[in-house]
Amino acid sequence: QGAGGYAVAKDTIWPTANLPYIINGIFDIAPKFVFTLNPGTIFKFSNNNSGIKMEGTLRASGTEDNKIVFTSLLDDEYAGDTNNDESGSSPSAGDWNKIYFTSTSAGSELDNIIIKYGGGGSFGPMAGLEIEESEVDLENSIIENNRYRGLYFTSSILNTDSLSKYPLTAINNVQFSNNKRLLSGNEQGFNLWVDGGNISVKNSSFKNSVYGIYVHSGEPSLDEGSLTFGTGGEANSKCNIYKNKKCINP
Protein backbone atom coordinates (compact mmCIF):
# COMPACT_ATOMS: atom_id res chain seq x y z
CA GLN A 1 0.00 0.00 0.00
CA GLY A 2 1.52 3.29 -1.06
CA ALA A 3 1.30 6.95 -0.10
CA GLY A 4 3.22 9.84 -1.61
CA GLY A 5 3.22 13.38 -0.28
CA TYR A 6 0.13 13.01 1.88
CA ALA A 7 -1.52 15.00 4.66
CA VAL A 8 -3.77 13.73 7.44
CA ALA A 9 -6.24 16.42 8.51
CA LYS A 10 -8.59 14.39 10.71
CA ASP A 11 -8.31 11.87 13.52
CA THR A 12 -7.24 8.68 11.78
CA ILE A 13 -6.56 5.04 12.67
CA TRP A 14 -4.59 3.02 10.15
CA PRO A 15 -5.25 -0.71 10.39
CA THR A 16 -2.49 -3.30 10.42
CA ALA A 17 -2.10 -4.45 6.83
CA ASN A 18 -0.83 -7.67 5.27
CA LEU A 19 1.62 -5.54 3.27
CA PRO A 20 3.76 -2.62 4.49
CA TYR A 21 2.74 0.97 3.93
CA ILE A 22 5.17 2.47 1.39
CA ILE A 23 5.82 6.21 1.76
CA ASN A 24 7.14 8.06 -1.29
CA GLY A 25 7.29 11.63 0.06
CA ILE A 26 6.65 13.58 3.26
CA PHE A 27 3.67 12.20 5.17
CA ASP A 28 2.25 15.11 7.19
CA ILE A 29 -0.11 14.86 10.17
CA ALA A 30 -1.66 18.28 10.69
CA PRO A 31 -1.81 20.07 14.07
CA LYS A 32 -4.49 18.99 16.60
CA PHE A 33 -5.22 15.68 14.86
CA VAL A 34 -4.42 12.21 16.23
CA PHE A 35 -2.84 9.53 14.05
CA THR A 36 -3.09 6.05 15.57
CA LEU A 37 -1.18 2.93 14.54
CA ASN A 38 -1.87 -0.64 15.62
CA PRO A 39 0.68 -3.29 16.64
CA GLY A 40 2.51 -4.86 13.72
CA THR A 41 2.15 -1.86 11.37
CA ILE A 42 5.17 -1.50 9.06
CA PHE A 43 6.18 1.67 7.22
CA LYS A 44 8.81 1.48 4.48
CA PHE A 45 10.22 4.67 2.97
CA SER A 46 11.23 4.65 -0.68
CA ASN A 47 13.95 7.33 -0.83
CA ASN A 48 15.98 9.74 1.27
CA ASN A 49 13.41 12.53 0.99
CA SER A 50 10.58 10.38 2.34
CA GLY A 51 9.56 10.68 5.97
CA ILE A 52 6.90 11.68 8.48
CA LYS A 53 6.24 15.22 9.69
CA MET A 54 4.22 15.06 12.89
CA GLU A 55 2.50 18.37 13.62
CA GLY A 56 -0.32 16.64 15.48
CA THR A 57 -0.28 13.60 17.80
CA LEU A 58 1.06 10.13 17.10
CA ARG A 59 -0.20 7.15 19.06
CA ALA A 60 1.97 4.21 18.04
CA SER A 61 1.74 1.37 20.55
CA GLY A 62 3.16 -1.95 19.49
CA THR A 63 3.87 -4.95 21.67
CA GLU A 64 7.08 -6.78 22.54
CA ASP A 65 6.33 -9.45 19.93
CA ASN A 66 4.57 -7.22 17.41
CA LYS A 67 6.42 -3.92 17.14
CA ILE A 68 5.59 -0.99 14.88
CA VAL A 69 8.42 -0.53 12.37
CA PHE A 70 9.70 2.47 10.40
CA THR A 71 12.43 1.41 7.98
CA SER A 72 13.90 1.47 4.48
CA LEU A 73 12.16 0.06 1.42
CA LEU A 74 15.29 -2.06 0.98
CA ASP A 75 14.94 -3.72 4.38
CA ASP A 76 13.85 -7.33 3.77
CA GLU A 77 13.85 -8.17 7.50
CA TYR A 78 10.35 -6.76 7.88
CA ALA A 79 7.51 -7.75 5.54
CA GLY A 80 9.94 -9.41 3.13
CA ASP A 81 11.34 -8.31 -0.22
CA THR A 82 9.07 -5.34 -0.84
CA ASN A 83 11.03 -4.00 -3.83
CA ASN A 84 11.11 -7.47 -5.44
CA ASP A 85 14.81 -7.64 -6.22
CA GLU A 86 15.59 -10.69 -4.08
CA SER A 87 19.16 -10.11 -2.81
CA GLY A 88 19.91 -7.30 -5.28
CA SER A 89 19.89 -4.53 -2.67
CA SER A 90 20.38 -4.03 1.04
CA PRO A 91 19.43 -1.20 3.42
CA SER A 92 21.86 1.39 4.74
CA ALA A 93 21.83 4.44 7.01
CA GLY A 94 20.27 7.45 5.27
CA ASP A 95 17.94 5.48 2.96
CA TRP A 96 15.04 7.65 4.13
CA ASN A 97 14.61 10.95 5.93
CA LYS A 98 13.16 10.74 9.48
CA ILE A 99 10.19 11.10 11.78
CA TYR A 100 9.99 14.76 12.78
CA PHE A 101 7.88 16.02 15.68
CA THR A 102 7.37 19.77 15.36
CA SER A 103 6.74 22.17 18.24
CA THR A 104 2.97 22.03 17.53
CA SER A 105 2.89 18.30 18.30
CA ALA A 106 1.67 17.25 21.75
CA GLY A 107 0.72 14.13 23.67
CA SER A 108 2.44 11.58 21.44
CA GLU A 109 2.99 8.05 22.76
CA LEU A 110 5.49 5.69 21.13
CA ASP A 111 5.77 2.22 22.65
CA ASN A 112 7.52 -0.81 21.17
CA ILE A 113 8.56 0.83 17.92
CA ILE A 114 11.66 0.39 15.73
CA ILE A 115 13.29 3.18 13.68
CA LYS A 116 16.05 2.06 11.29
CA TYR A 117 18.07 3.42 8.34
CA GLY A 118 16.82 7.04 8.51
CA GLY A 119 18.85 10.24 8.51
CA GLY A 120 19.00 10.95 4.77
CA GLY A 121 17.79 13.75 2.54
CA SER A 122 17.83 17.52 2.87
CA PHE A 123 14.88 18.02 5.26
CA GLY A 124 16.55 19.40 8.38
CA PRO A 125 19.21 17.79 10.61
CA MET A 126 20.26 14.21 9.92
CA ALA A 127 18.60 11.78 12.36
CA GLY A 128 16.21 8.86 12.41
CA LEU A 129 14.00 10.78 14.85
CA GLU A 130 13.83 14.52 15.52
CA ILE A 131 11.81 15.99 18.38
CA GLU A 132 11.48 19.78 18.51
CA GLU A 133 10.18 20.98 21.87
CA SER A 134 7.33 18.46 21.91
CA GLU A 135 5.63 16.22 24.45
CA VAL A 136 6.62 12.68 23.46
CA ASP A 137 6.71 9.50 25.56
CA LEU A 138 9.10 6.99 23.95
CA GLU A 139 9.60 3.63 25.61
CA ASN A 140 10.47 -0.03 25.00
CA SER A 141 11.84 0.79 21.56
CA ILE A 142 14.86 0.47 19.25
CA ILE A 143 16.60 3.26 17.32
CA GLU A 144 19.48 1.89 15.29
CA ASN A 145 21.49 2.13 12.07
CA ASN A 146 20.44 5.72 11.34
CA ARG A 147 22.76 8.21 9.66
CA TYR A 148 24.69 10.56 11.96
CA ARG A 149 22.14 10.75 14.83
CA GLY A 150 19.62 8.34 16.29
CA LEU A 151 17.51 10.93 18.11
CA TYR A 152 18.01 14.67 17.67
CA PHE A 153 16.23 16.56 20.46
CA THR A 154 16.14 20.33 20.07
CA SER A 155 14.51 23.27 21.80
CA SER A 156 14.91 27.01 22.21
CA ILE A 157 14.51 26.54 25.99
CA LEU A 158 17.84 26.93 27.77
CA ASN A 159 16.75 28.31 31.16
CA THR A 160 16.71 25.26 33.44
CA ASP A 161 14.73 27.13 36.13
CA SER A 162 11.62 27.12 33.95
CA LEU A 163 11.81 23.68 32.34
CA SER A 164 8.78 22.36 34.20
CA LYS A 165 6.61 24.85 32.33
CA TYR A 166 7.43 23.26 28.99
CA PRO A 167 6.58 19.98 27.22
CA LEU A 168 8.51 16.95 28.46
CA THR A 169 10.00 14.29 26.21
CA ALA A 170 10.47 11.13 28.29
CA ILE A 171 12.77 8.32 27.13
CA ASN A 172 12.46 5.00 28.97
CA ASN A 173 13.92 1.61 28.06
CA VAL A 174 15.11 2.51 24.57
CA GLN A 175 18.01 0.81 22.80
CA PHE A 176 20.19 3.19 20.76
CA SER A 177 22.83 1.57 18.56
CA ASN A 178 25.04 2.18 15.53
CA ASN A 179 23.76 5.66 14.71
CA LYS A 180 26.65 7.27 12.82
CA ARG A 181 28.17 8.12 9.45
CA LEU A 182 31.52 7.93 7.71
CA LEU A 183 32.76 11.26 6.32
CA SER A 184 36.14 11.53 4.58
CA GLY A 185 37.26 8.37 6.31
CA ASN A 186 36.26 9.60 9.78
CA GLU A 187 33.39 8.24 11.84
CA GLN A 188 30.94 10.83 13.20
CA GLY A 189 27.90 9.90 15.21
CA PHE A 190 25.57 10.48 18.14
CA ASN A 191 23.07 7.99 19.48
CA LEU A 192 21.29 10.87 21.26
CA TRP A 193 21.90 14.58 20.66
CA VAL A 194 20.37 17.06 23.14
CA ASP A 195 20.13 20.75 22.36
CA GLY A 196 18.24 22.48 25.19
CA GLY A 197 14.72 21.73 26.34
CA ASN A 198 12.98 19.41 28.75
CA ILE A 199 13.97 15.77 28.31
CA SER A 200 14.41 12.84 30.70
CA VAL A 201 16.28 9.62 29.93
CA LYS A 202 16.33 6.42 32.00
CA ASN A 203 16.71 2.63 31.69
CA SER A 204 18.20 2.95 28.20
CA SER A 205 21.29 1.67 26.38
CA PHE A 206 23.71 3.46 24.05
CA LYS A 207 26.31 1.59 22.03
CA ASN A 208 28.38 1.41 18.88
CA SER A 209 28.41 5.10 17.96
CA VAL A 210 30.99 7.86 18.47
CA TYR A 211 29.10 9.56 21.31
CA GLY A 212 26.45 7.77 23.35
CA ILE A 213 24.75 10.95 24.61
CA TYR A 214 25.93 14.36 23.41
CA VAL A 215 24.59 17.36 25.36
CA HIS A 216 25.24 20.35 23.12
CA SER A 217 23.24 22.63 25.41
CA GLY A 218 20.73 22.46 28.25
CA GLU A 219 20.43 20.28 31.33
CA PRO A 220 18.67 17.02 30.47
CA SER A 221 17.52 14.75 33.28
CA LEU A 222 19.79 11.72 32.89
CA ASP A 223 19.29 8.86 35.33
CA GLU A 224 22.90 7.77 34.90
CA GLY A 225 22.61 4.82 37.28
CA SER A 226 20.01 3.21 35.01
CA LEU A 227 21.83 3.86 31.72
CA THR A 228 24.12 1.30 30.07
CA PHE A 229 26.80 1.77 27.43
CA GLY A 230 28.50 -0.52 24.96
CA THR A 231 31.80 -2.21 25.75
CA GLY A 232 34.45 -3.91 23.64
CA GLY A 233 33.44 -3.97 19.97
CA GLU A 234 30.18 -2.20 20.80
CA ALA A 235 31.70 0.71 22.72
CA ASN A 236 31.04 4.33 21.78
CA SER A 237 34.40 5.26 20.29
CA LYS A 238 34.88 8.69 21.93
CA CYS A 239 32.54 9.19 24.84
CA ASN A 240 29.52 7.72 26.58
CA ILE A 241 28.18 11.07 27.83
CA TYR A 242 29.49 14.43 26.65
CA LYS A 243 28.18 17.19 28.92
CA ASN A 244 29.39 20.61 30.06
CA LYS A 245 32.23 20.35 27.54
CA LYS A 246 33.72 17.24 29.09
CA CYS A 247 33.50 13.51 28.62
CA ILE A 248 31.87 11.29 31.23
CA ASN A 249 32.15 7.53 31.07
CA PRO A 250 29.95 6.11 33.81
Side-chain angles (χ1 to χ4, degrees):
Q1 304 192 30
Y6 183 79
V8 173
K10 62 180 181 179
D11 291 345
T12 302
I13 301 174
W14 272 20
T16 305
N18 292 327
L19 297 173
Y21 292 102
I22 300 172
I23 308 300
N24 299 312
I26 297 298
F27 189 85
D28 191 349
I29 290 77
K32 300 181 180 180
F33 296 106
V34 179
F35 185 51
T36 302
L37 301 176
N38 289 312
T41 301
I42 297 172
F43 280 78
K44 289 191 173 183
F45 299 87
S46 63
N47 59 65
N48 64 7
N49 286 312
S50 297
I52 295 177
K53 184 179 182 182
M54 185 59 57
E55 299 180 276
T57 299
L58 177 60
R59 302 276 167 77
S61 294
T63 66
E64 184 176 354
D65 297 324
N66 209 14
K67 288 181 167 55
I68 296 170
V69 179
F70 304 88
T71 190
S72 165
L73 179 67
L74 308 182
D75 186 356
D76 296 349
E77 182 178 356
Y78 303 98
D81 182 21
T82 310
N83 64 336
N84 297 312
D85 71 344
E86 297 183 351
S87 59
S89 61
S90 58
S92 60
D95 276 351
W96 60 283
N97 190 252
K98 63 186 167 188
I99 304 173
Y100 170 40
F101 288 84
T102 73
S103 59
T104 64
S105 179
S108 290
E109 299 172 358
L110 313 180
D111 187 4
N112 277 291
I113 71 166
I114 297 173
I115 300 175
K116 301 178 72 172
Y117 304 117
S122 56
F123 176 43
M126 289 179 288
L129 174 63
E130 179 181 356
I131 299 174
E132 180 188 354
E133 205 170 301
S134 305
E135 181 188 2
V136 179
D137 285 341
L138 172 63
E139 59 183 353
N140 307 318
S141 296
I142 298 170
I143 299 179
E144 64 181 6
N145 300 327
N146 297 287
R147 188 172 182 230
Y148 199 44
R149 304 178 184 94
L151 167 57
Y152 178 71
F153 179 82
T154 181
S155 171
S156 61
I157 304 164
L158 298 178
N159 184 355
T160 58
D161 294 334
S162 60
L163 282 182
S164 61
K165 301 176 183 178
Y166 295 93
L168 170 67
T169 288
I171 311 297
N172 181 27
N173 192 32
V174 177
Q175 300 173 39
F176 294 84
S177 177
N178 202 42
N179 298 293
K180 55 188 176 182
R181 68 176 179 178
L182 191 65
L183 183 66
S184 302
N186 297 312
E187 275 195 346
Q188 302 175 332
F190 311 87
N191 277 317
L192 169 61
W193 175 293
V194 176
D195 202 353
N198 192 9
I199 181 172
S200 69
V201 186
K202 64 181 181 180
N203 302 318
S204 296
S205 63
F206 303 84
K207 61 184 181 180
N208 201 28
S209 186
V210 179
Y211 293 89
I213 301 172
Y214 188 93
V215 181
H216 182 260
S217 64
E219 289 290 338
S221 174
L222 304 179
D223 185 4
E224 293 182 17
S226 72
L227 305 180
T228 59
F229 300 91
T231 59
E234 293 184 327
N236 300 300
S237 60
K238 282 194 175 179
C239 195
N240 286 331
I241 301 175
Y242 182 85
K243 185 179 177 182
N244 297 325
K245 299 184 178 180
K246 62 182 180 181
C247 188
I248 305 170
N249 287 306

